Amino acid sequence: MTLATTEPAARERAMPMPRRRGLLQRIWHHRHDYLYVLPAIGVMLLVIAYPVYYTVYLSFFSTPPNLALEDKIFVGLKNYGTVLTAESVHEATWNTWVWTIWSTFFAFVIGFGAALALNRAFLGRGLLRGTLLVPYVISAVAASYIWRWIYHSDFGVIGALSVQFGLTERPINFLDDRNNVMASLIVVNVWKEFPFAMIMMLAGLQTVPEQLLRAAQVDGANALQRFWHVTLPHVKGVTLVTVLLLLVTNLNSFTIPWIMTGGGPAGASEIWITHIYQIAFGRIRFGLASAYSVILFIVMMGLGYFYVRALTSGDERTPA
Amino acid sequence: MTKSKDKGPFASPVDRRPFMAMTAGAAAAAGLSGKAYAQGSRTGVDPTKWTPEYIKSIAGTENPDTAAECYKVVPKDYKGRLTYWYFGPTQASPQIEHDIDKQFWEAFKALYPNIQVTALNLNYNEMIDKLRTSAIGKAAPMVVRLPILAGVEFAAKNQLMEFGPEMVGHSPQDFWPGALKSVTWKGKTYGVPTNNETMALVWNAGLFKDAGLDPESPPKTWDDLVAYSKQIKEKTGKSGYGMVARVNAGNTPFRFMPQLWAYGGGALDEAEANPTYKSIFVNNEGSRRALQASYDMYVRDKSVPVSALTNTQNENQDPFISGNLGMMIAHPSEYAVMLDRAKKATGDDKKTAEAVVANMRYGLVPAGPARRAIVFGGSNAHVFRPDLVDGGLDVNAAKAIIAFATGPEWSTKMAWVSSNPGNVRGFRTKWMKERIETIKFLDVTTSMLPNGIPFPVVPQATEIMNIIVPNMLQNVLTQKMTVAQASDDAAKKIKELLSEL
């Protein structure tokens, strides 16, 4: 992306920049191209735009459990007020940030570390790479059930071992304790997600030009300096994309917390999506859940904006 | 038409061993108090009449002709299509339930060969969510067999057809009044009861003995149960009582509400003689005492499984069969489950499991200062409105399956080890006689029927029972809130919920 040849860039600087066309003009200019993607746009409107529209529409209505959806009551912005002021939402928001930030941080750090290790040639590298990918390819549902039993507060393997080796008097209470549950779930999530970061970063590391690293070595840079001044700048883009994808994935998490704890105990592992699901399908408040979803959608759009910027950075400098 | 197969479940007893000490059930049922009589008025189960002796005396006195009864409703050659959702046997169910389920569908096929059936067996905890979504999406099944708690919500939303026992050739007198109340909304009937049951207390007499308790005497009161649980934990290191406190799981209210009612509490006034469902009882003195009892077991004595907050009843089965759990509230089918598990165990595990099965006892659920209580549970068959059904409603096919499933024969067989026939004529059949003779402890759970209390018949019942009450319990057990705070918090939520009406 930063390897654009200097010649056109210099030419660009020398010439006056042409006035950028407006959006409609550009669409008209490329109208034939748009015809090719029209079917795809149609499908997207149906499966993405309409649900988004309907969710926004529904967010202005109350849907009590004794009324059919067609009998919903218009309440304006009341649902948004309810969501923003509810104590349970505040708790879920705090849990969501704890879940998202720590899951993203550890998944990325461990994934990047594994990628750095696997980027070097050594005996059994292929086997290790395959093994490390196992958590990623296992179904999240199956993994959640397995971990639920591993963690089980009475008969879990970890608890049994900790008692057997005299580390604890009683099995450790992972999932039924408000203080431990979130950390326990984050461990499972990181275990499941770090291979994704590993693959992404490994791909990024393999684009770092070998000659630059050698040149730096010849210039006397030690391993840390080479990593800091050569490797890191080269994987900056893929790092940004990976972190953003992890953030979005974690903000949208559902399977692991839902299956392992259902958001409990006493709401200690309730995160946005499980809370929305509970409100919509457990409590049948589709209007309230829609308002909650719209707020989450706005947060996601913010992250999406940075994601697209990260993906397209440099494209705008490419001559049309 | 449903002649028993030689090796089918109806010909092969679950257990023919002589009834053991046979529990406090029969004796206690004979001595039911006036309180139980008052409770009987809520379910319509007259405790002075429906004694184990009476049930034994009427069993086998009627021989219904299921085919003839069904053909009066829908002719044999009727050609149609049926979509049917139900919560049938799961992996945790005993084999006998799977066998009966299979036979049910074979028998229906034989009865109505031209009705194409698409049946979906859903998990109890998934059923309601999926049904809500499908009804909104106009993709509901024609007929659904729903937990007793849930039907009123769909009726209140005007999603169900008016449909009563008369439409399938039965008389309303064939069903318990309490069960009919659960299918009634604003004076109209929206379903037919398929089965009704009450659970009992199950205990491991061997573990009682090891703990220095009388192996043949279950705790008489909930306070006793708390003390027994503590003693079992202290003397044996094993969990005393199989508490279940998971949110959004049907098992939780079925085990906690009896405790709440026994102490004089409730969610609303459902345990009172003439419930209005307008008064909130969840933060009264009785409810707080019940919560305190749970707190004492979980936090103070640590005498129940730590995993109670994430457990359903299924997760109590393994600790029980391995001799690590002293008491639990369960269906009569739990005995069949334990027999199955003992058969599958190997080596030392098998010996332990067989010992537990031999030491398994059933008794009445403990009483409290206010009453002895248990959930009057079961399920009902409902028909969805034609415009909400994918492909439209075939009324005759719906009538055929409901006439068949709620008749005396199949309402008895489908409730074989886990429940009681919704159609009380089922109690008079030869299949009931076979059940009584072959299923251990059946009469104990039947003895609990007069103590049954139906869940509130309000559209919000599912949220109250599956979310608000379990959350209240979790708030106390995790010490997030005090007993008073948690009960007040629950009362506030219920009040808000009811005010939405």
Side-chain angles (χ1 to χ4, degrees), chain B residues 52-94:
Chain B
E53 289 71 28
Y54 174 71
I55 292 170
K56 276 177 198 162
S57 73
I58 61 169
T61 59
E62 188 179 323
N63 192 17
D65 184 343
T66 302
E69 288 186 20
C70 287
Y71 292 152
K72 277 185 200 166
V73 179
V74 178
K76 181 179 184 175
D77 55 357
Y78 180 74
K79 197 174 177 182
R81 186 183 72 90
L82 174 74
T83 48
Y84 182 80
W85 288 10
Y86 69 118
F87 56 99
T90 65
Q91 284 186 325
S93 307

mmCIF file of all heavy atoms in Angstrom, chain B residues 52-94:
data_model
loop_
_atom_site.group_PDB
_atom_site.id
_atom_site.type_symbol
_atom_site.label_atom_id
_atom_site.label_comp_id
_atom_site.label_asym_id
_atom_site.label_seq_id
_atom_site.Cartn_x
_atom_site.Cartn_y
_atom_site.Cartn_z
ATOM 1 N N PRO B 52 -54.750 -42.792 47.004
ATOM 2 C CA PRO B 52 -54.134 -43.899 46.258
ATOM 3 C C PRO B 52 -55.052 -45.128 46.207
ATOM 4 O O PRO B 52 -55.106 -45.819 45.200
ATOM 5 C CB PRO B 52 -52.861 -44.193 47.052
ATOM 6 C CG PRO B 52 -52.537 -42.910 47.730
ATOM 7 C CD PRO B 52 -53.848 -42.276 48.044
ATOM 8 N N GLU B 53 -55.802 -45.342 47.291
ATOM 9 C CA GLU B 53 -56.704 -46.507 47.324
ATOM 10 C C GLU B 53 -57.806 -46.349 46.280
ATOM 11 O O GLU B 53 -58.148 -47.301 45.571
ATOM 12 C CB GLU B 53 -57.342 -46.658 48.719
ATOM 13 C CG GLU B 53 -56.384 -47.110 49.807
ATOM 14 C CD GLU B 53 -55.387 -46.038 50.206
ATOM 15 O OE1 GLU B 53 -55.727 -44.828 50.081
ATOM 16 O OE2 GLU B 53 -54.262 -46.380 50.590
ATOM 17 N N TYR B 54 -58.339 -45.129 46.201
ATOM 18 C CA TYR B 54 -59.403 -44.883 45.224
ATOM 19 C C TYR B 54 -58.863 -45.076 43.799
ATOM 20 O O TYR B 54 -59.502 -45.719 42.959
ATOM 21 C CB TYR B 54 -59.958 -43.466 45.402
ATOM 22 C CG TYR B 54 -60.957 -43.074 44.336
ATOM 23 C CD1 TYR B 54 -62.224 -43.646 44.308
ATOM 24 C CD2 TYR B 54 -60.627 -42.138 43.348
ATOM 25 C CE1 TYR B 54 -63.145 -43.308 43.317
ATOM 26 C CE2 TYR B 54 -61.540 -41.793 42.361
ATOM 27 C CZ TYR B 54 -62.792 -42.375 42.346
ATOM 28 O OH TYR B 54 -63.700 -42.043 41.356
ATOM 29 N N ILE B 55 -57.678 -44.547 43.577
ATOM 30 C CA ILE B 55 -57.093 -44.657 42.233
ATOM 31 C C ILE B 55 -56.881 -46.134 41.879
ATOM 32 O O ILE B 55 -57.193 -46.573 40.767
ATOM 33 C CB ILE B 55 -55.771 -43.856 42.153
ATOM 34 C CG1 ILE B 55 -56.075 -42.358 42.266
ATOM 35 C CG2 ILE B 55 -55.023 -44.145 40.854
ATOM 36 C CD1 ILE B 55 -54.870 -41.468 42.452
ATOM 37 N N LYS B 56 -56.421 -46.894 42.861
ATOM 38 C CA LYS B 56 -56.224 -48.333 42.609
ATOM 39 C C LYS B 56 -57.562 -49.016 42.344
ATOM 40 O O LYS B 56 -57.666 -49.903 41.493
ATOM 41 C CB LYS B 56 -55.555 -48.986 43.823
ATOM 42 C CG LYS B 56 -54.038 -48.847 43.812
ATOM 43 C CD LYS B 56 -53.436 -49.454 45.071
ATOM 44 C CE LYS B 56 -52.027 -48.944 45.268
ATOM 45 N NZ LYS B 56 -51.537 -49.138 46.621
ATOM 46 N N SER B 57 -58.585 -48.578 43.077
ATOM 47 C CA SER B 57 -59.883 -49.265 42.955
ATOM 48 C C SER B 57 -60.557 -49.018 41.608
ATOM 49 O O SER B 57 -61.308 -49.863 41.120
ATOM 50 C CB SER B 57 -60.808 -48.836 44.096
ATOM 51 O OG SER B 57 -61.261 -47.502 43.876
ATOM 52 N N ILE B 58 -60.295 -47.866 41.000
ATOM 53 C CA ILE B 58 -60.981 -47.586 39.718
ATOM 54 C C ILE B 58 -60.160 -48.037 38.513
ATOM 55 O O ILE B 58 -60.697 -48.177 37.419
ATOM 56 C CB ILE B 58 -61.349 -46.090 39.568
ATOM 57 C CG1 ILE B 58 -60.098 -45.211 39.592
ATOM 58 C CG2 ILE B 58 -62.351 -45.667 40.631
ATOM 59 C CD1 ILE B 58 -60.361 -43.767 39.196
ATOM 60 N N ALA B 59 -58.874 -48.265 38.738
ATOM 61 C CA ALA B 59 -58.008 -48.633 37.606
ATOM 62 C C ALA B 59 -58.465 -49.954 37.000
ATOM 63 O O ALA B 59 -58.697 -50.930 37.715
ATOM 64 C CB ALA B 59 -56.565 -48.737 38.076
ATOM 65 N N GLY B 60 -58.626 -49.946 35.696
ATOM 66 C CA GLY B 60 -59.006 -51.175 34.990
ATOM 67 C C GLY B 60 -60.497 -51.386 34.872
ATOM 68 O O GLY B 60 -60.945 -52.425 34.394
ATOM 69 N N THR B 61 -61.291 -50.389 35.301
ATOM 70 C CA THR B 61 -62.748 -50.567 35.252
ATOM 71 C C THR B 61 -63.357 -50.064 33.951
ATOM 72 O O THR B 61 -64.530 -50.224 33.708
ATOM 73 C CB THR B 61 -63.424 -49.825 36.432
ATOM 74 O OG1 THR B 61 -63.085 -48.427 36.341
ATOM 75 C CG2 THR B 61 -62.993 -50.393 37.770
ATOM 76 N N GLU B 62 -62.577 -49.429 33.108
ATOM 77 C CA GLU B 62 -63.118 -48.928 31.842
ATOM 78 C C GLU B 62 -62.204 -49.365 30.711
ATOM 79 O O GLU B 62 -60.976 -49.356 30.861
ATOM 80 C CB GLU B 62 -63.203 -47.391 31.890
ATOM 81 C CG GLU B 62 -63.936 -46.800 30.698
ATOM 82 C CD GLU B 62 -64.046 -45.274 30.766
ATOM 83 O OE1 GLU B 62 -64.225 -44.734 31.871
ATOM 84 O OE2 GLU B 62 -63.908 -44.644 29.699
ATOM 85 N N ASN B 63 -62.789 -49.743 29.609
ATOM 86 C CA ASN B 63 -61.993 -50.206 28.483
ATOM 87 C C ASN B 63 -62.340 -49.381 27.250
ATOM 88 O O ASN B 63 -63.155 -49.770 26.435
ATOM 89 C CB ASN B 63 -62.242 -51.696 28.242
ATOM 90 C CG ASN B 63 -61.221 -52.281 27.280
ATOM 91 O OD1 ASN B 63 -60.168 -51.678 27.053
ATOM 92 N ND2 ASN B 63 -61.542 -53.425 26.699
ATOM 93 N N PRO B 64 -61.740 -48.207 27.123
ATOM 94 C CA PRO B 64 -62.152 -47.321 26.031
ATOM 95 C C PRO B 64 -61.731 -47.854 24.655
ATOM 96 O O PRO B 64 -60.693 -48.499 24.528
ATOM 97 C CB PRO B 64 -61.419 -46.019 26.355
ATOM 98 C CG PRO B 64 -60.260 -46.423 27.177
ATOM 99 C CD PRO B 64 -60.650 -47.655 27.919
ATOM 100 N N ASP B 65 -62.545 -47.561 23.674
ATOM 101 C CA ASP B 65 -62.218 -47.925 22.293
ATOM 102 C C ASP B 65 -61.730 -46.640 21.607
ATOM 103 O O ASP B 65 -62.535 -45.845 21.112
ATOM 104 C CB ASP B 65 -63.465 -48.480 21.615
ATOM 105 C CG ASP B 65 -63.168 -48.965 20.195
ATOM 106 O OD1 ASP B 65 -62.114 -48.573 19.654
ATOM 107 O OD2 ASP B 65 -63.991 -49.711 19.641
ATOM 108 N N THR B 66 -60.447 -46.467 21.610
ATOM 109 C CA THR B 66 -59.866 -45.218 21.112
ATOM 110 C C THR B 66 -60.228 -44.957 19.659
ATOM 111 O O THR B 66 -60.612 -43.840 19.292
ATOM 112 C CB THR B 66 -58.332 -45.255 21.268
ATOM 113 O OG1 THR B 66 -58.047 -45.461 22.642
ATOM 114 C CG2 THR B 66 -57.686 -43.965 20.818
ATOM 115 N N ALA B 67 -60.136 -45.998 18.857
ATOM 116 C CA ALA B 67 -60.413 -45.820 17.426
ATOM 117 C C ALA B 67 -61.842 -45.336 17.216
ATOM 118 O O ALA B 67 -62.087 -44.365 16.489
ATOM 119 C CB ALA B 67 -60.175 -47.131 16.692
ATOM 120 N N ALA B 68 -62.785 -45.992 17.885
ATOM 121 C CA ALA B 68 -64.188 -45.613 17.706
ATOM 122 C C ALA B 68 -64.416 -44.172 18.166
ATOM 123 O O ALA B 68 -65.128 -43.404 17.504
ATOM 124 C CB ALA B 68 -65.073 -46.568 18.497
ATOM 125 N N GLU B 69 -63.795 -43.804 19.283
ATOM 126 C CA GLU B 69 -63.985 -42.442 19.802
ATOM 127 C C GLU B 69 -63.411 -41.405 18.837
ATOM 128 O O GLU B 69 -63.997 -40.358 18.599
ATOM 129 C CB GLU B 69 -63.343 -42.311 21.180
ATOM 130 C CG GLU B 69 -64.112 -43.060 22.263
ATOM 131 C CD GLU B 69 -63.566 -42.826 23.656
ATOM 132 O OE1 GLU B 69 -62.861 -41.824 23.870
ATOM 133 O OE2 GLU B 69 -63.840 -43.660 24.544
ATOM 134 N N CYS B 70 -62.247 -41.715 18.293
ATOM 135 C CA CYS B 70 -61.607 -40.759 17.366
ATOM 136 C C CYS B 70 -62.391 -40.647 16.066
ATOM 137 O O CYS B 70 -62.542 -39.549 15.517
ATOM 138 C CB CYS B 70 -60.171 -41.190 17.066
ATOM 139 S SG CYS B 70 -59.058 -40.934 18.441
ATOM 140 N N TYR B 71 -62.890 -41.789 15.565
ATOM 141 C CA TYR B 71 -63.590 -41.761 14.283
ATOM 142 C C TYR B 71 -64.923 -41.007 14.364
ATOM 143 O O TYR B 71 -65.468 -40.583 13.355
ATOM 144 C CB TYR B 71 -63.814 -43.190 13.755
ATOM 145 C CG TYR B 71 -62.521 -43.877 13.347
ATOM 146 C CD1 TYR B 71 -62.400 -45.266 13.393
ATOM 147 C CD2 TYR B 71 -61.421 -43.135 12.909
ATOM 148 C CE1 TYR B 71 -61.213 -45.901 13.026
ATOM 149 C CE2 TYR B 71 -60.226 -43.768 12.551
ATOM 150 C CZ TYR B 71 -60.124 -45.142 12.614
ATOM 151 O OH TYR B 71 -58.963 -45.759 12.250
ATOM 152 N N LYS B 72 -65.442 -40.864 15.586
ATOM 153 C CA LYS B 72 -66.646 -40.041 15.742
ATOM 154 C C LYS B 72 -66.313 -38.567 15.484
ATOM 155 O O LYS B 72 -67.163 -37.773 15.116
ATOM 156 C CB LYS B 72 -67.181 -40.173 17.173
ATOM 157 C CG LYS B 72 -68.036 -41.395 17.398
ATOM 158 C CD LYS B 72 -68.593 -41.345 18.810
ATOM 159 C CE LYS B 72 -69.043 -42.723 19.251
ATOM 160 N NZ LYS B 72 -69.282 -42.775 20.683
ATOM 161 N N VAL B 73 -65.076 -38.221 15.712
ATOM 162 C CA VAL B 73 -64.642 -36.823 15.553
ATOM 163 C C VAL B 73 -64.157 -36.577 14.123
ATOM 164 O O VAL B 73 -64.567 -35.626 13.458
ATOM 165 C CB VAL B 73 -63.521 -36.482 16.564
ATOM 166 C CG1 VAL B 73 -63.054 -35.040 16.394
ATOM 167 C CG2 VAL B 73 -63.984 -36.740 17.985
ATOM 168 N N VAL B 74 -63.276 -37.462 13.646
ATOM 169 C CA VAL B 74 -62.724 -37.350 12.286
ATOM 170 C C VAL B 74 -62.750 -38.753 11.676
ATOM 171 O O VAL B 74 -62.221 -39.691 12.285
ATOM 172 C CB VAL B 74 -61.269 -36.809 12.315
ATOM 173 C CG1 VAL B 74 -60.701 -36.738 10.906
ATOM 174 C CG2 VAL B 74 -61.215 -35.443 12.977
ATOM 175 N N PRO B 75 -63.365 -38.917 10.500
ATOM 176 C CA PRO B 75 -63.442 -40.265 9.923
ATOM 177 C C PRO B 75 -62.065 -40.833 9.559
ATOM 178 O O PRO B 75 -61.128 -40.083 9.292
ATOM 179 C CB PRO B 75 -64.306 -40.070 8.669
ATOM 180 C CG PRO B 75 -64.262 -38.611 8.388
ATOM 181 C CD PRO B 75 -64.024 -37.914 9.677
ATOM 182 N N LYS B 76 -62.022 -42.143 9.520
ATOM 183 C CA LYS B 76 -60.755 -42.844 9.298
ATOM 184 C C LYS B 76 -60.090 -42.454 7.980
ATOM 185 O O LYS B 76 -58.877 -42.309 7.895
ATOM 186 C CB LYS B 76 -61.002 -44.358 9.320
ATOM 187 C CG LYS B 76 -59.742 -45.176 9.110
ATOM 188 C CD LYS B 76 -59.997 -46.657 9.157
ATOM 189 C CE LYS B 76 -58.667 -47.410 9.026
ATOM 190 N NZ LYS B 76 -58.813 -48.835 9.168
ATOM 191 N N ASP B 77 -60.927 -42.299 6.953
ATOM 192 C CA ASP B 77 -60.347 -42.071 5.624
ATOM 193 C C ASP B 77 -60.023 -40.592 5.367
ATOM 194 O O ASP B 77 -59.748 -40.201 4.238
ATOM 195 C CB ASP B 77 -61.287 -42.600 4.540
ATOM 196 C CG ASP B 77 -62.678 -41.983 4.680
ATOM 197 O OD1 ASP B 77 -62.884 -41.210 5.632
ATOM 198 O OD2 ASP B 77 -63.548 -42.282 3.840
ATOM 199 N N TYR B 78 -60.051 -39.799 6.415
ATOM 200 C CA TYR B 78 -59.773 -38.372 6.201
ATOM 201 C C TYR B 78 -58.339 -38.181 5.675
ATOM 202 O O TYR B 78 -57.388 -38.758 6.194
ATOM 203 C CB TYR B 78 -59.944 -37.576 7.511
ATOM 204 C CG TYR B 78 -59.647 -36.107 7.292
ATOM 205 C CD1 TYR B 78 -60.558 -35.297 6.620
ATOM 206 C CD2 TYR B 78 -58.437 -35.558 7.692
ATOM 207 C CE1 TYR B 78 -60.268 -33.967 6.368
ATOM 208 C CE2 TYR B 78 -58.137 -34.234 7.448
ATOM 209 C CZ TYR B 78 -59.062 -33.437 6.785
ATOM 210 O OH TYR B 78 -58.763 -32.141 6.515
ATOM 211 N N LYS B 79 -58.248 -37.364 4.634
ATOM 212 C CA LYS B 79 -56.940 -37.118 4.031
ATOM 213 C C LYS B 79 -56.524 -35.688 4.356
ATOM 214 O O LYS B 79 -57.289 -34.742 4.079
ATOM 215 C CB LYS B 79 -57.049 -37.297 2.514
ATOM 216 C CG LYS B 79 -55.733 -37.460 1.817
ATOM 217 C CD LYS B 79 -55.951 -37.782 0.346
ATOM 218 C CE LYS B 79 -54.615 -37.860 -0.353
ATOM 219 N NZ LYS B 79 -54.767 -38.110 -1.781
ATOM 220 N N GLY B 80 -55.402 -35.531 4.965
ATOM 221 C CA GLY B 80 -54.992 -34.178 5.343
ATOM 222 C C GLY B 80 -53.527 -34.090 5.728
ATOM 223 O O GLY B 80 -52.753 -35.025 5.494
ATOM 224 N N ARG B 81 -53.207 -32.965 6.339
ATOM 225 C CA ARG B 81 -51.806 -32.666 6.659
ATOM 226 C C ARG B 81 -51.776 -32.058 8.057
ATOM 227 O O ARG B 81 -52.672 -31.287 8.426
ATOM 228 C CB ARG B 81 -51.297 -31.642 5.640
ATOM 229 C CG ARG B 81 -49.836 -31.289 5.702
ATOM 230 C CD ARG B 81 -49.545 -30.216 4.657
ATOM 231 N NE ARG B 81 -50.104 -28.930 5.031
ATOM 232 C CZ ARG B 81 -49.446 -28.005 5.747
ATOM 233 N NH1 ARG B 81 -48.230 -28.229 6.152
ATOM 234 N NH2 ARG B 81 -50.027 -26.852 6.042
ATOM 235 N N LEU B 82 -50.730 -32.405 8.818
ATOM 236 C CA LEU B 82 -50.657 -31.904 10.192
ATOM 237 C C LEU B 82 -49.225 -31.504 10.531
ATOM 238 O O LEU B 82 -48.277 -32.245 10.235
ATOM 239 C CB LEU B 82 -51.109 -33.003 11.167
ATOM 240 C CG LEU B 82 -50.956 -32.679 12.657
ATOM 241 C CD1 LEU B 82 -52.026 -31.688 13.094
ATOM 242 C CD2 LEU B 82 -51.048 -33.937 13.498
ATOM 243 N N THR B 83 -49.093 -30.319 11.146
ATOM 244 C CA THR B 83 -47.789 -29.966 11.722
ATOM 245 C C THR B 83 -47.990 -29.900 13.231
ATOM 246 O O THR B 83 -48.962 -29.305 13.712
ATOM 247 C CB THR B 83 -47.278 -28.614 11.185
ATOM 248 O OG1 THR B 83 -48.331 -27.644 11.278
ATOM 249 C CG2 THR B 83 -46.837 -28.722 9.745
ATOM 250 N N TYR B 84 -47.069 -30.515 13.955
ATOM 251 C CA TYR B 84 -47.266 -30.692 15.401
ATOM 252 C C TYR B 84 -45.929 -30.504 16.125
ATOM 253 O O TYR B 84 -44.945 -31.140 15.778
ATOM 254 C CB TYR B 84 -47.800 -32.116 15.629
ATOM 255 C CG TYR B 84 -48.119 -32.482 17.056
ATOM 256 C CD1 TYR B 84 -49.309 -32.088 17.646
ATOM 257 C CD2 TYR B 84 -47.243 -33.261 17.816
ATOM 258 C CE1 TYR B 84 -49.619 -32.458 18.949
ATOM 259 C CE2 TYR B 84 -47.542 -33.627 19.115
ATOM 260 C CZ TYR B 84 -48.737 -33.226 19.684
ATOM 261 O OH TYR B 84 -49.034 -33.581 20.960
ATOM 262 N N TRP B 85 -45.943 -29.605 17.091
ATOM 263 C CA TRP B 85 -44.737 -29.414 17.915
ATOM 264 C C TRP B 85 -45.032 -29.881 19.328
ATOM 265 O O TRP B 85 -46.127 -29.628 19.846
ATOM 266 C CB TRP B 85 -44.353 -27.924 17.976
ATOM 267 C CG TRP B 85 -43.780 -27.372 16.716
ATOM 268 C CD1 TRP B 85 -43.735 -27.961 15.478
ATOM 269 C CD2 TRP B 85 -43.174 -26.094 16.554
ATOM 270 N NE1 TRP B 85 -43.159 -27.136 14.568
ATOM 271 C CE2 TRP B 85 -42.790 -25.976 15.195
ATOM 272 C CE3 TRP B 85 -42.908 -25.026 17.408
ATOM 273 C CZ2 TRP B 85 -42.166 -24.836 14.688
ATOM 274 C CZ3 TRP B 85 -42.297 -23.898 16.913
ATOM 275 C CH2 TRP B 85 -41.916 -23.800 15.569
ATOM 276 N N TYR B 86 -44.065 -30.488 19.936
ATOM 277 C CA TYR B 86 -44.250 -30.955 21.314
ATOM 278 C C TYR B 86 -42.903 -31.089 21.998
ATOM 279 O O TYR B 86 -41.866 -31.101 21.340
ATOM 280 C CB TYR B 86 -45.001 -32.277 21.327
ATOM 281 C CG TYR B 86 -44.239 -33.479 20.781
ATOM 282 C CD1 TYR B 86 -43.948 -34.578 21.581
ATOM 283 C CD2 TYR B 86 -43.813 -33.522 19.451
ATOM 284 C CE1 TYR B 86 -43.267 -35.678 21.084
ATOM 285 C CE2 TYR B 86 -43.130 -34.620 18.949
ATOM 286 C CZ TYR B 86 -42.858 -35.696 19.774
ATOM 287 O OH TYR B 86 -42.179 -36.775 19.278
ATOM 288 N N PHE B 87 -42.929 -31.145 23.319
ATOM 289 C CA PHE B 87 -41.669 -31.453 24.010
ATOM 290 C C PHE B 87 -41.760 -32.907 24.452
ATOM 291 O O PHE B 87 -42.421 -33.254 25.407
ATOM 292 C CB PHE B 87 -41.346 -30.474 25.140
ATOM 293 C CG PHE B 87 -42.403 -30.320 26.189
ATOM 294 C CD1 PHE B 87 -42.310 -31.002 27.388
ATOM 295 C CD2 PHE B 87 -43.482 -29.476 25.983
ATOM 296 C CE1 PHE B 87 -43.286 -30.864 28.352
ATOM 297 C CE2 PHE B 87 -44.471 -29.347 26.940
ATOM 298 C CZ PHE B 87 -44.375 -30.032 28.123
ATOM 299 N N GLY B 88 -41.105 -33.727 23.692
ATOM 300 C CA GLY B 88 -41.130 -35.159 23.943
ATOM 301 C C GLY B 88 -39.870 -35.602 24.656
ATOM 302 O O GLY B 88 -39.180 -34.795 25.290
ATOM 303 N N PRO B 89 -39.568 -36.882 24.548
ATOM 304 C CA PRO B 89 -38.393 -37.399 25.258
ATOM 305 C C PRO B 89 -37.092 -36.774 24.770
ATOM 306 O O PRO B 89 -36.944 -36.458 23.587
ATOM 307 C CB PRO B 89 -38.429 -38.903 24.951
ATOM 308 C CG PRO B 89 -39.429 -39.090 23.886
ATOM 309 C CD PRO B 89 -40.320 -37.913 23.846
ATOM 310 N N THR B 90 -36.168 -36.573 25.689
ATOM 311 C CA THR B 90 -34.846 -36.045 25.357
ATOM 312 C C THR B 90 -33.810 -37.117 25.686
ATOM 313 O O THR B 90 -34.162 -38.209 26.139
ATOM 314 C CB THR B 90 -34.542 -34.800 26.192
ATOM 315 O OG1 THR B 90 -34.468 -35.205 27.571
ATOM 316 C CG2 THR B 90 -35.614 -33.741 26.034
ATOM 317 N N GLN B 91 -32.552 -36.745 25.513
ATOM 318 C CA GLN B 91 -31.484 -37.707 25.826
ATOM 319 C C GLN B 91 -31.472 -38.063 27.309
ATOM 320 O O GLN B 91 -30.992 -39.119 27.697
ATOM 321 C CB GLN B 91 -30.135 -37.129 25.419
ATOM 322 C CG GLN B 91 -29.919 -37.193 23.916
ATOM 323 C CD GLN B 91 -28.536 -36.755 23.529
ATOM 324 O OE1 GLN B 91 -27.968 -35.868 24.149
ATOM 325 N NE2 GLN B 91 -27.985 -37.365 22.498
ATOM 326 N N ALA B 92 -32.019 -37.142 28.128
ATOM 327 C CA ALA B 92 -32.023 -37.414 29.564
ATOM 328 C C ALA B 92 -33.232 -38.258 29.981
ATOM 329 O O ALA B 92 -33.333 -38.648 31.135
ATOM 330 C CB ALA B 92 -32.025 -36.090 30.335
ATOM 331 N N SER B 93 -34.135 -38.529 29.036
ATOM 332 C CA SER B 93 -35.350 -39.289 29.378
ATOM 333 C C SER B 93 -35.045 -40.776 29.418
ATOM 334 O O SER B 93 -34.157 -41.260 28.703
ATOM 335 C CB SER B 93 -36.438 -39.044 28.327
ATOM 336 O OG SER B 93 -36.655 -37.679 28.152
ATOM 337 N N PRO B 94 -35.825 -41.516 30.196
ATOM 338 C CA PRO B 94 -35.622 -42.966 30.202
ATOM 339 C C PRO B 94 -36.040 -43.570 28.861
ATOM 340 O O PRO B 94 -36.876 -43.010 28.154
ATOM 341 C CB PRO B 94 -36.546 -43.441 31.333
ATOM 342 C CG PRO B 94 -37.553 -42.364 31.509
ATOM 343 C CD PRO B 94 -36.889 -41.079 31.111
#
